Amino acid sequence: KAGVTQTPRYLIKTRGQQVTLSCSPISGHRSVSWYQQTPGQGLQFLFEYFSETQRNKGNFPGRFSGRQFSNSRSEMNVSTLELGDSALYLCASSLGSGNTIYFGEGSWLTVV
Amino acid sequence: SQKIEQNSEALNIQEGKTATLTCNYTNYSPAYLQWYRQDPGRGPVFLLLIRENEKEKRKERLKVTFDTTLKQSLFHITASQPADSATYLCALVKTSGNTPLVFGKGTRLSVIA
């Protein structure tokens, strides 16, 4: 059974640009969550989707958005990139409430 | 404000000893608490979950305790091995849902042979 797959693994963007990151959850998992990890702030929750609906949202500006498709795959988008957006973006999937969460390997974003 | 703190950024111990990591929280009433392991450049891997009505949970060489009065969880690795070297994260869930909303910054454990 394939794990959570995130693409791309590494990318470099310029300030002001926008970026889209993709996450394919484990087959059968309907819940997908996104996190940002930086050395200074640690792991911070961005948002959670379940069956195409955003169920929870963290404390991030509106430049950060996401969506989930009918096949449970999810994307997150960051517009008008800032240097401080450089981070490891992690996606996690699960069957739903009360079940184990599985993280992907993350997408390393560098903003220059 | 709600806060979750792990007692130290880094912890070094001798192989064979028991490693004890601490997770404290304030202004929070979690439904349950989870511990994860993260290796450099990789995503976190789920280790253990303990609910608010449970005092202790074990899995092989791992043991987790949860004291809702002290607002603290302890994570123990007995008979530690160099392969246990990693960053360990605790996370709190405030509802019955399982998605962690608040993570500690982690403790980097180094087991020295």
Side-chain angles (χ1 to χ4, degrees), chain A residues 9 31 33 35 37 40-41 43 45 48 88 90 94 96-101 103-105 108, chain B residues 32 34 36 38 41-46 49 51 89 96-105:
Chain A
R9 281 281 281 142
S31 172
S33 302
Y35 297 83
Q37 188 173 33
Q41 298 298 319
L43 255 171
F45 173 73
E48 180 209 354
L88 175 64
L90 290 159
S94 73
S97 297
N99 291 280
T100 301
I101 287 177
F103 280 88
E105 300 289 38
W108 287 93
Chain B
Y32 46 92
Q34 302 179 357
Y36 291 81
Q38 187 174 24
R42 312 290 298 271
V45 175
F46 172 80
L49 178 154
R51 300 181 193 282
L89 302 160
S96 57
N98 76 318
T99 302
L101 297 182
V102 182
F103 273 87
K105 292 189 179 178

Side-chain angles (χ1 to χ4, degrees), chain B residues 39-54:
Chain B
D39 291 288
R42 312 290 298 271
V45 175
F46 172 80
L47 294 174
L48 280 167
L49 178 154
I50 186 164
R51 300 181 193 282
E52 60 181 334
N53 60 351
E54 296 176 317

